[in-house]
Amino acid sequence: MQAWESQALWSSLQVAVVTVTLCTPLAVSISYALARWCGPGSWILASLVLLPAALPPVVIGYILLAGLSPASAFGHWLQQGTGWHLRFFPDGVVLAASAATLPMMVRQLRPHFDTLAPQHALALATLGASPWQVWRQLWLPRLAPGILSAVCLGLALAWGESGATLVLGFALLPPGSQSYAGTVPLALVQALQSPDTLDAAARLAGLSCLIVLAALLASEALRRHGLQRAALP
């Protein structure tokens, strides 16, 4: 394995871990809100949360560029006000992976939150438990398998995100830049451009399949365990 292959794998692992770290608290909060709010329009909100997962990844990449690149009005204002501008790595890649990952993590968590019985929390509250104590003593033990399942799914999705990443790479990286080897999707694109690196492309593709499959198997096992635990009295 060549050095740029190892670097691509390491970069993609970093992106996946950072993405899941950022998305997990958001996914838990959104899932809790969707499970508790059953008022008019709740189904519209749930659909909007899932919208990024249904859009073509190229559209996500375009939205990120149109909204955050220095060429856009908001991106220019953001750069002038904070000094931050959209870069390919790590900012753009993490944002692209988060857009693909967060909706599906919410989708994975939502059934686990739907199994929670509010009367149990009310009983603890009447005994003087604070909201944090209710969460730590009641909800977290029941939700832990579901949260871990969503984390594993998020790792698989963040690792495999490619469409928006490719759009950002082609737009933000200089033509012919060797940084194309910075993540697995762009490293694969680079490797496929030359017959001499087709073996490297096969290695990256094979390792990606194994990593994603392992994460998905863990996610499914944890999902089943969590729902079975929730069904217990």
Side-chain angles (χ1 to χ4, degrees), residues 2-225:
Q2 301 179 45
W4 62 268
E5 296 176 66
S6 301
Q7 181 59 42
L9 292 168
W10 174 240
S11 297
S12 289
L13 178 61
Q14 288 179 299
V15 169
V17 171
V18 171
T19 298
V20 169
T21 301
L22 294 174
C23 288
T24 298
L26 290 173
V28 170
S29 302
I30 294 171
S31 299
Y32 178 80
L34 290 175
R36 289 291 165 264
W37 182 42
C38 299
S42 59
W43 60 277
I44 297 178
L45 179 60
S47 300
L48 290 175
V49 169
L50 290 174
L51 179 61
L55 289 173
V58 175
V59 174
I60 298 297
Y62 168 77
I63 291 173
L64 290 174
L65 285 173
L68 296 177
S69 69
S72 68
F74 179 74
H76 178 73
W77 173 83
L78 198 61
Q79 183 175 14
Q80 293 295 319
T82 66
W84 179 88
H85 66 280
L86 182 64
R87 297 167 295 179
F88 172 70
F89 190 89
D91 314 19
V93 179
V94 170
L95 286 172
S98 298
T101 300
L102 179 61
M104 297 309 297
M105 290 183 70
V106 172
R107 186 77 166 182
Q108 187 83 345
L109 275 171
R110 175 71 185 277
H112 296 272
F113 277 91
D114 288 338
T115 64
L116 299 180
Q119 60 268 26
H120 294 162
L122 292 175
L124 278 179
T126 58
L127 296 175
S130 66
W132 167 246
Q133 289 174 320
V134 171
W135 167 258
R136 182 171 56 87
Q137 298 175 11
L138 180 63
W139 295 150
L140 186 57
R142 296 178 68 90
L143 291 171
I147 294 173
L148 291 175
S149 172
V151 166
C152 292
L153 177 63
L155 288 171
L157 292 169
W159 181 281
E161 202 294 314
S162 58
T165 299
L166 291 174
V167 171
L168 294 177
F170 286 124
L172 298 177
L173 292 174
S177 170
Q178 293 302 310
S179 294
Y180 276 93
T183 58
V184 167
L186 292 183
L188 274 169
V189 169
Q190 185 186 37
L192 290 171
Q193 292 175 355
S194 170
D196 298 332
T197 52
L198 292 179
D199 289 343
R203 283 193 296 269
L204 288 175
L207 286 172
S208 293
C209 288
L210 291 176
I211 291 169
V212 170
L213 178 60
L216 290 176
L217 289 173
S219 175
E220 180 62 16
L222 288 164
R223 184 190 71 85
R224 290 171 177 265
H225 174 66

